Amino acid sequence: MKLPLSWIKDYVDLGDISVEELASVMTLAGLEVEEINYIGLPIPSEDEREFKSKGLAWDKEKIVVGEITEVNGHPDADRLTLCKLNDGKEDHIVLTGAPNLFPYKDQGVLDPPLKVAYAKEGAELVDAYADEYKTKILKRTKIRGTVTYSMVCSEKELGLSEEHEGIMLLDAAAPTGMPLADYLGDAVLDIAILPNIARDANVIGVAREIAALLNTELKQPSYDFVAELDAVSKYVELEIQTPENNPRFTLGLIKDVEIKPSPALVQRRLNMCGIRAINNIVDVTNYVMLEVGEPLHAFDYDVLVERAGGKTPKILTRTADAGEKLTTLDDVERTLEDYTTLVCDEKGSLSIAGIMGGAESEVSDSTTNVLLEAASWNFINLRKTLGYLKLNSEASYRFSRGVHPEMAPRGLKRGLELMREWSNGKICEGIVDEYPNKAEVVTVEVTTDDVERLLGVRLEADEIADLLQRLEFEVKVTGETIKATVPDHRLDIDTGVVGKADLVEEIARIYGYDKIPETLINDETPPQKNQTDLMHEDKVRDLLVNLGLYETITYRLSSEDLEAKAIAADAPRDTREGVYVANPLSPDREMMRRTLLPSIFETAELNAKYSDQIQLFEIGPVFLAQADELPNELYKLAIAMTGPRNDANWQAADTANVDFYDMKGVVDGLLTGMHVENVHYEVASHPSYHPGKCAKVLVGDVELGVFGEVHPQVNEHYAFGSAPLMAAELDMGALRDVTPERHVVKEISAYPPVLEDFAFVVEEDVPAGAVTEMLTQTAGQALAEIKLFDVFRGEQVGKGKKSLAYKLTYQMPDKTLSDKDVAKIRKKIVKRLEYELGAKLRA
C-alpha cells in the first residue's frame, strides 16, 4: 500500500523525525516499509539510507510555482502557445504545446491566473519522450523562431506520474514563487500490509500506529456532516435478508450534486496511492476508503427510482439465485454462485457485495442525486466469492481481510460531507442504519507476570496500560492485572489464551522489539528424538551436493497440461487419479503434482537462459488420490543434468556433454554413499525418456525409480538448449527402506592386491550388469573391486557382439594370494561365463 507522508501528517505530528527514521520505527513495529519514493525532496545518500529509495529532487531555485496571466497563440504554429508567466520575481514568455492551455488562448488577462509548475534554465527534469526513465537538464534552445529557456511542466516531467497530455495545473491558492519542493514535495511510503495488520490499510490506521510509537496525539477526521434536506428514511428503504453475511448496512443520500473534477490535492493524493482520479463523487469513495479504511459505493439514485417504477427504492442484501447474472462496472457479465452476497433492489441485483458495483446504477456525468452505501461483510464468504470470480478490487482487498462494522457509519458520514464540499450538493438528514449482527465487545485480561513470561522483560502495570492506551484500548488496572477492552476498529484480537497472546504482542510492538533484551531459555530442553526420515533426506541432500548438484524447491501445485509437457507427444497421459484444488489461485496450478519431473524440467528450462551447464535436484512430495481417504503423499527425488561435463575454463579439449552414463554415475554415487548393496540396472521404457536410453534402478526386487535421457519429443516442449537433458526420479521411501541402518566397515587388508584384466565377447543383448553380477558371484570373497573400463564393437569381435573389458582386484584379508589361487579363480570365472552367458574370453 502506497501512502504519501503529507496525508499522514494531517493526522499525526511527526516533529523533526526524518523519513528514514520514521520508516525504521514503522518497520520494527510490523508496518514494513518496502520502498520510499521521494517526490521533489532530496534523496538521502546510500550511506544515509536504510530503505530502497527512488525519486527526483526538485531544485528549489530552479523549479517553483509560477502563474500564467496570459495565453497567446504562436504566430507560426497553431499547436504552440506563448504564455506570459510570473515566477514571483519577474515575467517570462514561455513556449508550450500543452493542449489543456488551448481553451485559454487569446482570452486576454486571465482572472484568476493559472498556477503551474515552472522550471527554469538548468533544471533537472524527467525526459518525457524517452522510452525508459531518464532525466535531462533544461537548456536554452530555439523553436519556430522563438528562443525558449524555461518550461511549464507536466506530471511526468516532474516524476509524479506518467501523465503527459498537458501541463499540471495547481490550486489557485498556490503561492507564486514558492519552491515547488516546499509546496508539493512529499515522500510516498510503500508499506507491506501483512495479514495481522489489515486494519492499517488506510491513513488513519497508519497514523494511529505512528502516534502510538512516537507517543503523540492522533487527530481524527470529522465524522459530522451538514444536512439541509428531509430525512433520508423518506427516500429509501433497507432490508438485510442474510445478516450472517452482512452484519451492518448503512445508507445516506446527497442531492443536486455537480459532477466535476476533484480538488487538485485530492487528485494528487489518489495518484500517489496508485488510484486514478475519475470525478469528485467516485473520488470520494476511494479517498474515504484510503483515509478511514471503509470502502464506499455510490449509486445513481435516480436510476434506482426508475427501476422502482417511480416509487421509493428498497435496497436488499441477499445471496444470489443459482445462475444469476450481473454486469459489473468493468462491463463483464458474470454468472454468480448461490453463496454470493449481493446488494439488490426489488427488481434485481445492483452490485456484488464488497467487491464491485453493477454497471447499470453507476455514477455518470449526468448523475445529480447519489445514494451512498457503507457496509460490513462476512470476510470468509467474500473470500469464497473472490476465489471463483477472480475479481479483485481495492474494496475487496480490505473487506476480505476484515473491516469492523463500526467503521461503516464513520465512513458514510465522512463520505457524505466530502461530497457536499466537493460537489455543492445537499445532504438529507440522518442515515439509514441496519445492524442485525452487532459485533461483540472483546475484553482481555493480562498480568505483569504474563507479559514477563512471554516477552522476557518486566514491565509495570501502569507502563503496560500506557502502551495499550496509545492504541486506543480502554484499560482498567487492578493491582498487577490489566483489563483491556479492544477498540471498535479492530477484529484481530480474540478472547481467552489467544487474546492474551494478541495483547502481549501489541505491548511488545509499541514498547519496541529492539528494547527487549536477549535472554537464554530457562526451561529444560526437551529430549532430542531421532527424526529418521529427515535424517535420511539430509544425507541424500549432502551426497548430491557433494556430487556437484544444486538443490531446488518448486511449487507443489501443477496441472494436467504442465504434466503432459513432461511426456512424449505420442505417449498416453498419466492415468493416476490426481488431487485437485477446489479454489485454485490460477488455472495453471489446479492440482497437486503427481510427479517431480515437470517441476525439475521447468527449473532446468529457466536456468538454461543463464547457464549451459545445469545440475539440479529436488526432494519433495507428490500426491495421489485415494478413494474416501486423504491423498497418498509420497516423497520423491528428481535429478536433471545437461550441458558440458566439465567447466569450460578447466580443460577446453573436453567439451563433451553429459550423457546417460553421467546420470548413472550420479545414481551410483548416491547409492554407494548410502551404503546400499545389491544394486543392479535393467532396461526400461518410460513416456518421458528416450527409448533405448532409459533404465530402472533395482535393489534386489525393490524398484527405486527410473533414469535416462529425456525423450526428444519432451525436449520440444521446453527450451533446454542444444544438449540433451538427463533426468531421474527415485522413490525416497523405497530408498529409505533399502538403506541399512548400520553398515559394516571392513578392515583394510595388510596383504597385497592382485590386479587382472578380462575382456569377454558376448551377444549384444547381454547386459553388462549381468556380466558384472556373475563375475562378482564367481570370484567370491577374494574380489575386492570390479570395474568395467571398456566396451568395444567391431569386426574384430563379430557382428551382433560386443566386448566388455573389466579390471578385477583380488585381495584377501588374511593371506597373500598366490599365482595358483588366482589361476583357480580365473579358470572358474571363464568356465562359468562361457556356460551361462555364452561369453568367450577375448585374447
Side-chain angles (χ1 to χ4, degrees):
M1 179 185 70
K2 295 180 173 64
L3 284 184
L5 196 62
S6 60
W7 202 352
I8 296 172
K9 286 180 177 179
D10 286 352
Y11 300 109
V12 61
D13 183 3
L14 299 180
D16 58 359
I17 189 171
S18 71
V19 180
E20 289 280 319
E21 290 172 328
L22 178 64
S24 180
V25 169
M26 292 169 61
T27 299
L28 282 173
L31 285 166
E32 297 181 10
V33 177
E34 297 185 319
E35 185 177 62
I36 303 172
N37 182 15
Y38 290 90
I39 298 176
L41 302 179
I43 303 173
S45 66
E46 290 189 11
D47 293 336
E48 295 173 321
R49 67 175 181 248
E50 178 183 350
F51 297 88
K52 182 180 177 183
S53 303
K54 63 179 181 180
L56 173 68
W58 301 331
D59 189 314
K60 289 191 176 186
E61 295 294 327
K62 294 183 172 65
I63 303 177
V64 300
V65 175
E67 64 175 30
I68 295 176
T69 55
E70 289 186 46
V71 179
N72 299 310
H74 191 286
D76 298 324
D78 293 338
R79 294 184 179 274
L80 296 177
T81 59
L82 294 170
C83 301
K84 186 176 180 181
L85 179 143
N86 184 274
D87 66 1
K89 295 180 181 178
E90 57 183 315
D91 291 334
H92 305 269
I93 299 299
V94 181
L95 179 71
T96 178
N100 58 334
L101 290 181
F102 290 167
Y104 303 97
K105 188 166 66 171
D106 299 326
Q107 298 296 313
V109 177
L110 301 178
D111 186 19
L114 300 176
K115 298 298 179 73
V116 296
Y118 175 60
K120 303 177 184 181
E121 185 176 0
E124 183 181 14
L125 299 171
V126 174
D127 187 345
Y129 299 98
D131 293 333
E132 56 186 26
Y133 180 88
K134 68 176 183 179
T135 61
K136 64 178 182 179
I137 302 299
L138 189 57
K139 298 179 179 179
R140 185 178 294 261
T141 186
K142 182 182 283 190
I143 300 176
R144 289 295 182 100
T146 302
V147 175
T148 177
Y149 53 84
S150 59
M151 64 185 292
V152 284
C153 304
S154 69
E155 291 187 6
K156 185 172 184 179
E157 286 159 336
L158 293 167
L160 288 171
S161 73
E162 292 299 310
E163 180 60 44
H164 188 55
E165 290 300 312
I167 64 168
M168 182 174 67
L169 298 177
L170 307 178
D171 289 334
T176 302
M178 175 182 279
L180 193 68
D182 292 343
Y183 181 64
L184 285 186
D186 213 333
V188 178
L189 306 179
D190 193 347
I191 306 169
I193 300 296
L194 305 178
N196 62 329
I197 58 166
R199 64 187 180 277
D200 293 335
N202 54 82
V203 176
I204 299 299
V206 172
R208 180 184 290 110
E209 297 284 344
I210 294 173
L213 293 166
L214 301 182
N215 197 12
T216 188
E217 180 186 0
L218 173 69
K219 308 167 194 173
Q220 287 278 4
S222 172
Y223 297 113
D224 296 327
F225 61 83
V226 177
E228 302 176 64
L229 300 177
D230 295 342
V232 64
S233 56
K234 292 177 59 177
Y235 299 98
V236 65
E237 298 176 8
L238 175 62
E239 180 184 346
I240 297 176
Q241 296 183 354
T242 54
E244 65 277 10
N245 293 336
N246 177 204
R248 191 171 195 175
F249 199 99
T250 64
L251 290 168
L253 182 63
I254 181 169
K255 292 189 171 186
D256 302 326
V257 300
E258 300 173 25
I259 304 296
K260 58 184 179 179
S262 300
L265 173 64
V266 172
Q267 295 186 48
R268 284 197 301 274
R269 283 182 171 178
L270 291 176
N271 179 66
M272 285 188 283
C273 294
I275 293 179
R276 182 172 61 91
I278 298 174
N279 59 50
N280 51 351
I281 300 302
V282 176
D283 290 352
V284 164
T285 63
N286 288 323
Y287 193 85
V288 172
M289 174 185 67
L290 292 173
E291 182 181 67
V292 179
E294 172 65 33
L296 305 178
H297 183 70
F299 297 97
D300 188 320
Y301 177 74
D302 294 320
V303 171
L304 301 181
V305 172
E306 183 181 348
R307 285 169 58 95
K311 299 179 181 179
T312 301
K314 183 176 183 179
I315 301 299
L316 310 168
T317 63
R318 60 171 174 83
T319 52
D321 298 327
E324 187 172 353
K325 299 180 184 295
L326 174 66
T327 300
T328 46
L329 288 173
D330 54 1
D331 291 325
V332 176
E333 184 180 69
R334 303 183 185 277
T335 302
L336 309 172
E337 297 290 339
D338 58 7
Y339 51 77
T340 304
T341 305
L342 299 176
V343 178
C344 312
D345 60 11
E346 292 180 304
K347 185 176 180 181
S349 55
L350 297 170
S351 68
I352 303 173
I355 300 176
M356 187 173 287
E360 184 179 353
S361 59
E362 70 174 316
V363 171
S364 67
D365 291 342
S366 61
T367 298
T368 56
N369 302 313
V370 176
L371 184 68
L372 188 61
E373 163 208 323
S376 63
W377 309 102
N378 181 309
F379 68 92
I380 299 297
N381 176 270
L382 195 138
R383 286 181 188 177
K384 190 176 180 183
T385 301
L386 286 173
Y388 83 86
L389 283 181
K390 298 177 177 59
L391 177 63
N392 293 309
S393 64
E394 289 286 343
S396 66
Y397 172 85
R398 288 159 175 81
F399 280 131
S400 65
R401 287 157 176 78
V403 177
H404 199 287
E406 290 296 332
M407 299 305 299
R410 295 174 195 170
L412 181 72
K413 294 174 183 178
R414 177 68 171 158
L416 287 170
E417 180 60 17
L418 291 179
M419 283 185 183
R420 185 189 70 80
E421 293 175 5
W422 301 350
S423 73
N424 300 318
K426 295 181 175 66
I427 304 174
C428 290
E429 181 70 37
I431 64 173
V432 177
D433 186 357
E434 290 290 330
Y435 196 0
N437 270 8
K438 292 194 175 182
E440 177 187 357
V441 176
V442 177
T443 301
V444 182
E445 285 191 2
V446 66
T447 67
T448 53
D449 288 342
D450 293 330
V451 174
E452 184 176 17
R453 181 176 61 83
L454 291 173
L455 298 185
V457 62
R458 183 73 183 182
L459 298 177
E460 298 302 323
D462 290 342
E463 189 176 2
I464 294 170
D466 174 64
L467 295 172
L468 293 173
Q469 285 168 341
R470 293 190 207 173
L471 290 171
E472 300 184 356
F473 286 81
E474 293 182 10
V475 178
K476 181 180 179 182
V477 178
T478 305
E480 298 298 311
T481 300
I482 300 93
K483 184 177 182 181
T485 301
V486 179
D488 61 10
H489 62 270
R490 299 190 62 161
L491 289 170
D492 60 307
I493 295 184
D494 210 335
T495 57
V497 176
V498 174
K500 185 176 293 188
D502 291 337
L503 204 63
V504 173
E505 181 185 6
E506 295 302 297
I507 295 165
R509 286 194 318 108
I510 306 306
Y511 177 75
Y513 292 125
D514 54 326
K515 295 180 183 177
I516 298 174
E518 295 181 3
T519 56
L520 294 175
I521 189 169
N522 289 327
D523 293 339
E524 182 180 345
T525 304
Q528 178 64 38
K529 296 181 179 179
N530 289 335
Q531 301 280 337
T532 54
D533 289 350
L534 295 178
M535 292 171 65
H536 178 263
E537 282 184 31
D538 285 343
K539 180 71 178 295
V540 171
R541 286 188 176 93
D542 291 343
L543 288 169
L544 291 173
V545 169
N546 288 337
L547 288 168
L549 276 67
Y550 294 88
E551 184 177 11
T552 70
I553 300 173
T554 61
Y555 291 117
R556 299 181 181 192
L557 294 169
S558 184
S559 70
E560 292 281 1
D561 290 341
L562 288 175
E563 295 198 353
K565 285 178 63 177
I567 61 175
D570 54 5
R573 288 199 175 197
D574 196 335
T575 58
R576 296 174 297 176
E577 188 174 351
V579 179
Y580 291 85
V581 181
N583 56 338
L585 295 177
S586 63
D588 59 342
R589 301 289 175 185
E590 65 187 7
M591 63 180 288
M592 307 302 289
R593 63 188 178 189
R594 292 173 292 194
T595 168
L596 288 187
L597 290 181
S599 301
I600 202 81
F601 288 172
E602 278 188 297
T603 307
E605 181 182 39
L606 289 171
N607 282 271
K609 300 175 183 177
Y610 311 105
S611 174
D612 293 333
Q613 187 183 61
I614 295 172
Q615 299 179 349
L616 308 172
F617 76 93
E618 177 175 2
I619 297 173
V622 300
F623 303 84
L624 301 176
Q626 299 185 109
D628 301 323
E629 291 185 33
L630 290 173
N632 188 14
E633 185 174 343
L634 305 171
Y635 267 74
K636 300 281 186 174
L637 161 65
I639 304 172
M641 299 171 61
T642 188
R645 179 176 292 117
N646 296 312
D647 291 335
N649 61 351
W650 178 234
Q651 287 183 340
D654 186 4
T655 58
N657 293 318
V658 295
D659 57 19
F660 174 90
Y661 294 101
D662 290 288
M663 178 58 75
K664 181 174 181 289
V666 169
V667 175
D668 267 336
L670 170 63
L671 298 179
T672 300
M674 300 298 291
H675 305 286
V676 177
E677 299 179 349
N678 195 21
V679 179
H680 59 285
Y681 303 90
E682 293 182 3
V683 175
S685 62
H686 189 282
S688 294
Y689 297 100
H690 195 304
K693 297 182 180 180
C694 173
K696 56 185 175 182
V697 190
L698 298 105
V699 177
D701 296 330
V702 178
E703 182 175 331
L704 299 186
V706 178
F707 71 92
E709 182 179 323
V710 172
H711 199 292
Q713 292 178 355
V714 174
N715 277 327
E716 292 175 2
H717 300 156
Y718 299 91
F720 294 136
S722 58
L725 180 73
M726 306 300 137
E729 186 174 34
L730 306 181
D731 188 321
M732 287 291 290
L735 176 58
R736 183 188 59 244
D737 291 342
V738 299
T739 301
E741 291 185 11
R742 297 179 177 84
H743 61 275
V744 177
V745 178
K746 296 180 180 179
E747 184 178 356
I748 298 174
S749 176
Y751 299 94
V754 178
L755 277 65
E756 187 167 33
D757 292 350
F758 285 98
F760 290 101
V761 177
V762 297
E763 297 292 332
E764 182 65 51
D765 60 355
V766 176
V771 177
T772 303
E773 184 178 0
M774 192 160 293
L775 284 169
T776 304
Q777 292 176 357
T778 308
Q781 64 175 352
L783 183 64
E785 185 179 2
I786 180 171
K787 183 177 181 180
L788 174 67
F789 67 88
D790 184 56
V791 179
F792 175 78
R793 296 175 178 86
E795 295 180 1
Q796 295 91 329
V797 297
K799 186 177 180 180
K801 297 181 183 294
K802 61 185 176 184
S803 171
L804 303 176
Y806 289 89
K807 182 180 294 293
L808 276 64
T809 302
Y810 306 117
Q811 190 175 33
M812 293 294 287
D814 54 356
K815 68 174 185 177
T816 300
L817 289 168
S818 64
D819 291 343
K820 185 176 180 181
D821 293 331
V822 173
K824 185 177 180 181
I825 296 173
R826 182 190 310 116
K827 183 178 179 181
K828 189 177 180 182
I829 286 174
V830 172
K831 185 175 181 181
R832 186 176 181 192
L833 263 66
E834 181 178 6
Y835 177 75
E836 296 195 21
L837 297 178
K840 299 292 185 182
L841 186 64
R842 186 179 173 195

